[in-house]
């Protein structure tokens, strides 16, 4: 699957990026109405060109408002947002030329065919009649909808509609593609297709912003993730860096068996592990077929641990770093209460 | 697009009511002696004006309410590299074309329905086209006001409350000048953009009396200015949170 974003003629699509920061959000605030709730209470982050950036947060955290400001649909009450160096409240048309969005809910024109949905969109972006048809057919082919171009979109399945929306978003070769909870309700095939498409776009230099509840998705795809809650960024790091925020989940897990030549060792793995510097707590989590699995929590020196196990007359079968899932991090940071 | 996809549906929605007005008031009533035989000549321009305005109004208001509330199609348009208000103008232009088309389709129909056929010998065509065009745009502007102000769950009520008075206070079925015996009503009708369009079409076709010629463009342009401004402000309010 290859989605072309390069313009063959150079005559359509937005200009190439001019700044290193695709999106800069500074002190963004948004209050709906004069005395309504403040949905966003001072958010800061920036997204580099060519990055896949995740915005994670519970429902009502302020993700959609933030996306709305970036796409010029929501007027901020404070702070500023730059897209490729352009202020979203002042250069709306230039900003819109550089962006595309795959919305949370399908918003295809249901009275039109698939092809017409794409050519209408292209017309708004200034493509000539011939160019818009060519570009639309090319993208329909790429998203696996060739031969279905004349179907009315109200006959499309959820997955097909999603692919058509992606094709529509890519028509004008955006520098920045924003996906607002794109995989909600998709089957695994459609989700994998979307992930492949996102990686492919990134390899061609497109910047992607993804909002999602799906932690596995964010973990797989995103270079960096901002976790947003109650209108604020509460954590911003790489997926790996975020996992380190789980205090209890740092450590190692070892699987050992008693060595054939036990020699002078005690043969007690738990004791060997506990004697290692940096281990705050250690537990035996499994014992089966002569193998013992021990988890050691804390900033453990793995090399030292291995030496001590060997001296205790134990043979190391497996050693792995303990890492919590992103979901654990998310719940750890945002709490368990329902929104 | 619906014109091409569902021509039958569009024409029925746009033309059934005006055809029945022409038939009942222009043909049946004179036939049974309840109206003058020439009433149809006075009625036709009014019905053309009514059609231009209502078709245009409905083709802005109804899709807009649905798109803002349910289908969200408009979101993709609002992300096009245009100022938000341009999307509102585009809605008006689109609907106005339908309104003009519907109004002029009535001419051949009237030729068949009315007892005297068409009396267009003295018609000033550029003026007629200009008046109908102005009416269709004014109707689109009223539609934009309705489509952006009325919440989706109240749109059926709004249509009933607005369309019926619009229909009967717009000098469609009577020349405005003849209302001088009912002065208060004559004044009320001046608030309705349709009054100027009906009178304008009557003046352009050249059948019967009509209000002062200077008042007609003034009324039409004024209606477009007032409803257009309110409508576009409302549109911007809905388009940008």
């Amino acid at each position: 699957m290859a989605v072309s974003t390069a313009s063959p003629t150079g005559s359509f699509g937005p200009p190439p990026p001019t700044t290193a920061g695709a999106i800069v959000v500074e002190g963004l605030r948004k209050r709906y109405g004069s005395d309504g709730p403040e949905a966003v209470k001072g958010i800061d982050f920036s997204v580099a060109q060519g990055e896949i950036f995740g915005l994670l947060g519970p429902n009502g955290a302020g993700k959609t408002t933030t996306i709305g400001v970036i796409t010029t649909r929501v007027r901020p009450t404070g702070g500023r947002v730059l897209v490729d160096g352009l202020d979203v409240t002042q250069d709306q048309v230039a900003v819109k030329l550089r962006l595309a969005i795959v919305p949370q809910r399908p918003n295809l024109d249901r009275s039109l065919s698939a092809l017409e949905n794409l050519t209408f969109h292209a017309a708004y972006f200034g493509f000539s009649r011939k160019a818009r048809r060519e570009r639309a057919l090319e993208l329909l082919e790429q998203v696996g909808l060739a031969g279905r171009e004349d179907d009315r979109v109200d006959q499309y399945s959820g997955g097909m509609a999603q692919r058509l929306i992606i094709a529509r978003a890519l028509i004008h070769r955006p520098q920045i593609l924003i996906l607002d909870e794109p995989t909600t309700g998709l089957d695994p095939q459609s989700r994998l297709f979307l992930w492949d498409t996102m990686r492919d776009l990134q390899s061609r230099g497109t910047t992607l912003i993804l909002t999602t509840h799906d932690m596995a998705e964010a973990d797989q795809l995103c270079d960096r993730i901002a976790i947003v809650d109650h209108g604020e960024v509460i954590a911003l790091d790489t997926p790996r860096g975020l996992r380190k925020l789980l205090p209890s989940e740092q450590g190692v897990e070892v699987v050992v068996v008693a060595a054939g030549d036990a020699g002078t060792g005690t043969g007690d793995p738990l004791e060997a592990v506990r004697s290692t510097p940096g281990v705050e707590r250690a537990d035996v989590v499994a014992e089966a077929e002569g193998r013992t699995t021990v988890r050691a929590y804390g900033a453990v020196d793995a090399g030292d641990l291995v030496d001590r196990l060997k001296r205790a007359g134990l043979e190391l079968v497996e050693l792995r770093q303990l890492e919590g899932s992103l979901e654990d991090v998310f719940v750890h940071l945002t709490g368990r209460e329902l929104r | 697009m619906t014109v091409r996809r569902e021509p039958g549906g569009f024409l029925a929605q746009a033309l059934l009511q005006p055809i029945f007005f022409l038939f009942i008031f222009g043909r049946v009533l004179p036939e049974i002696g309840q109206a003058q035989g020439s009433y149809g000549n006075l009625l036709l321009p009014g019905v053309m004006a009514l059609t231009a305005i209502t078709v245009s109004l409905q083709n802005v208001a109804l899709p807009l309410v649905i798109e803002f509330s349910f289908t969200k199609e408009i979101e993709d348009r609002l992300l096009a590299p245009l100022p938000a208000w341009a999307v509102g103008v585009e809605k008006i232009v689109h609907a106005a074309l339908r309104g003009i088309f519907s109004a002029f389709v009535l001419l051949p129909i009237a030729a068949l329905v009315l007892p005297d056929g068409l009396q267009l010998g003295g018609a000033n065509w550029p003026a007629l086209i200009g008046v109908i065009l102005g009416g269709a745009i004014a109707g689109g502007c009223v539609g934009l006001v309705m489509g952006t102000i009325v919440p989706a769950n109240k749109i059926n009520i709004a249509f009933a409350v607005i369309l019926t008075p619009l229909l009967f206070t717009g000098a469609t079925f009577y020349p405005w000048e003849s209302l001088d015996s009912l002065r208060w009503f004559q004044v009320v009708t001046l608030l309705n953009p349709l009054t100027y369009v009906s009178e304008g079409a009557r003046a352009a076709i050249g059948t019967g009396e009509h209000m002062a010629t200077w008042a007609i463009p003034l009324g039409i342009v004024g209606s477009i200015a007032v409803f257009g401004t309110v409508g576009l402000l409302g549109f911007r309010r809905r388009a940008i949170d």
Side-chain angles (χ1 to χ4, degrees):
Chain A
M1 216 277 327
V3 177
S4 132
T5 51
S7 166
T9 58
S11 53
F12 297 107
T18 52
T19 57
I23 293 174
V24 178
V25 177
E26 288 175 353
L28 175 65
R29 290 178 169 273
K30 174 63 187 179
R31 186 185 290 281
Y32 287 100
S34 53
D35 53 352
E38 194 162 39
V40 173
K41 303 171 185 166
I43 281 185
D44 295 274
F45 65 85
S46 65
V47 182
Q49 296 286 357
E51 188 175 23
I52 301 185
F53 188 85
L55 268 179
L56 263 59
N59 293 331
K63 303 186 298 282
T64 301
T65 299
T66 305
I67 296 295
V69 175
I70 295 171
T71 57
T72 77
R73 288 292 315 277
V74 176
R75 190 178 293 278
T77 43
R80 63 173 194 159
V81 174
L82 304 179
V83 171
D84 193 24
L86 300 160
D87 193 308
V88 294
T89 58
Q90 280 156 31
D91 293 303
Q92 287 159 352
V93 173
V95 165
K96 286 193 272 191
L97 198 60
R98 288 161 169 80
L99 286 175
I101 184 161
V102 173
Q104 214 174 93
R105 285 180 38 193
N107 59 0
L108 294 162
D109 192 328
R110 277 178 268 188
S111 62
L112 301 181
S113 72
L115 183 65
E116 285 165 338
N117 262 284
L118 301 189
T119 53
F120 267 54
H121 180 93
Y124 278 95
F125 281 84
F127 283 54
S128 72
R129 196 170 288 274
K130 183 159 168 283
R132 65 180 92 133
R133 192 182 157 81
E134 273 172 15
R135 179 75 179 141
L137 289 172
E138 176 193 339
L139 278 163
L140 282 168
E141 168 94 40
Q142 284 166 6
V143 300
L145 292 172
R148 306 295 300 266
E149 60 263 21
D150 292 326
D151 294 9
R152 287 260 298 251
V153 297
D154 51 9
Q155 292 156 359
Y156 268 26
S157 71
M160 288 164 73
Q162 174 80 337
R163 280 181 279 151
L164 184 61
I165 289 172
I166 292 166
R168 186 184 65 186
L170 296 178
I171 283 260
H172 59 285
R173 303 181 177 92
Q175 287 172 13
I176 299 160
L177 178 64
I178 297 171
L179 300 109
D180 195 1
E181 294 180 19
T183 50
T184 308
L186 289 190
D187 59 27
Q189 288 82 358
S190 299
R191 192 161 62 215
L192 288 172
F193 170 83
L194 182 69
W195 291 3
D196 286 346
T197 307
M198 289 177 68
R199 290 196 189 96
D200 189 64
L201 285 166
Q202 186 191 28
S203 72
R204 287 155 198 274
T206 308
T207 307
L208 293 116
I209 296 190
L210 171 72
T211 80
T212 181
H213 300 295
D214 183 343
M215 300 303 142
E217 177 171 274
D219 203 356
Q220 284 240 350
L221 289 167
C222 295
D223 298 313
R224 286 188 309 142
I225 293 170
I227 296 184
V228 180
D229 198 16
H230 301 299
E232 288 168 292
V233 173
I234 53 173
L236 197 167
D237 209 332
T238 59
R240 209 182 170 130
L242 286 175
R243 280 194 293 264
K244 292 207 180 107
L245 294 174
L246 280 180
S248 62
E249 295 296 318
Q250 262 192 56
V252 292
E253 184 179 275
V254 288
V255 181
V256 293
V257 292
D261 53 342
T264 57
T266 62
D268 181 355
L270 195 56
E271 192 180 299
V273 170
R274 279 184 175 152
S275 70
T276 311
V279 173
E280 289 158 13
R281 185 164 64 88
D283 301 304
V284 173
V285 292
E287 268 181 305
E289 299 168 26
R291 295 180 171 204
T292 311
T293 306
V294 182
R295 273 188 194 166
Y297 299 103
V300 186
D301 177 351
D304 193 6
L305 177 62
V306 172
D307 284 346
R308 281 168 196 270
L309 289 170
K310 194 179 269 177
R311 268 183 267 135
L314 295 162
E315 194 178 317
L316 183 67
V317 179
E318 198 184 321
L319 180 146
R320 71 185 182 87
Q321 195 83 32
L322 281 180
E323 275 188 334
S325 72
L326 212 50
E327 182 137 0
D328 298 332
V329 180
F330 186 82
V331 173
H332 171 71
L333 290 172
T334 60
R336 300 189 69 97
E337 83 268 27
L338 295 171
R339 318 282 169 136
Chain B
M1 289 313 292
T2 333
V3 183
R4 186 158 62 77
R5 297 243 168 240
E6 290 161 1
F10 169 71
L11 290 175
Q13 184 213 348
L15 294 179
L16 217 51
Q17 192 185 48
I19 289 172
F20 268 97
F21 280 141
L22 289 176
F23 177 64
I24 299 295
F25 295 115
R27 180 71 177 259
V28 174
L29 292 192
E31 198 98 345
I32 62 175
Q34 300 291 327
Q36 288 173 11
S38 62
Y39 181 57
N41 299 331
L42 188 143
L43 183 67
L44 175 61
V47 171
M48 282 178 76
L50 174 72
T51 305
I53 287 203
T54 51
V55 167
S56 179
L57 184 155
Q58 294 185 43
N59 274 285
V60 174
L62 215 51
L64 209 54
V65 165
I66 293 170
E67 288 185 26
F68 268 128
S69 307
F70 306 115
T71 66
K72 307 278 181 194
E73 284 161 27
I74 197 144
E75 284 180 357
D76 187 56
R77 300 290 168 257
L78 289 170
L79 286 174
L82 306 167
W85 59 262
V87 179
V89 171
E90 188 233 333
K91 294 266 168 205
I92 294 174
V93 171
H94 222 85
L97 289 175
R98 292 179 176 198
I100 296 161
F101 171 77
S102 309
F104 280 98
V105 164
L106 283 177
L107 285 177
I109 294 171
L112 294 174
V113 171
L114 295 180
D116 299 345
L118 284 178
Q119 308 288 325
L120 296 173
N124 178 346
W125 285 98
L128 182 62
I129 292 168
V131 163
I132 295 297
L133 172 71
I137 293 174
C141 292
V142 177
L144 195 65
V145 174
M146 286 176 68
T148 53
I149 287 180
V150 180
N153 55 355
K154 302 230 161 52
I155 190 69
N156 48 353
I157 301 172
F159 266 114
V161 169
I162 292 168
L163 277 185
T164 309
L166 183 93
L167 192 68
F168 290 106
T169 64
T172 300
F173 306 104
Y174 41 82
W176 182 79
E177 295 261 298
S178 63
L179 290 179
D180 50 10
S181 55
L182 203 60
R183 190 69 185 167
W184 68 268
F185 186 64
Q186 194 178 31
V187 173
V188 167
T189 59
L190 290 177
L191 297 174
N192 186 344
L194 177 56
T195 301
Y196 306 96
V197 186
S198 298
E199 289 289 300
R202 223 163 261 147
I205 288 181
T207 48
E209 48 179 334
H210 55 82
M211 65 165 51
T213 317
W214 62 265
I216 291 165
L218 192 71
I220 294 175
V221 172
S223 303
I224 293 173
V226 170
F227 289 104
T229 306
V230 176
L232 287 175
L233 287 176
F235 185 79
R236 226 180 57 145
R237 197 175 43 80
R238 289 296 295 268
I240 298 172
D241 281 325

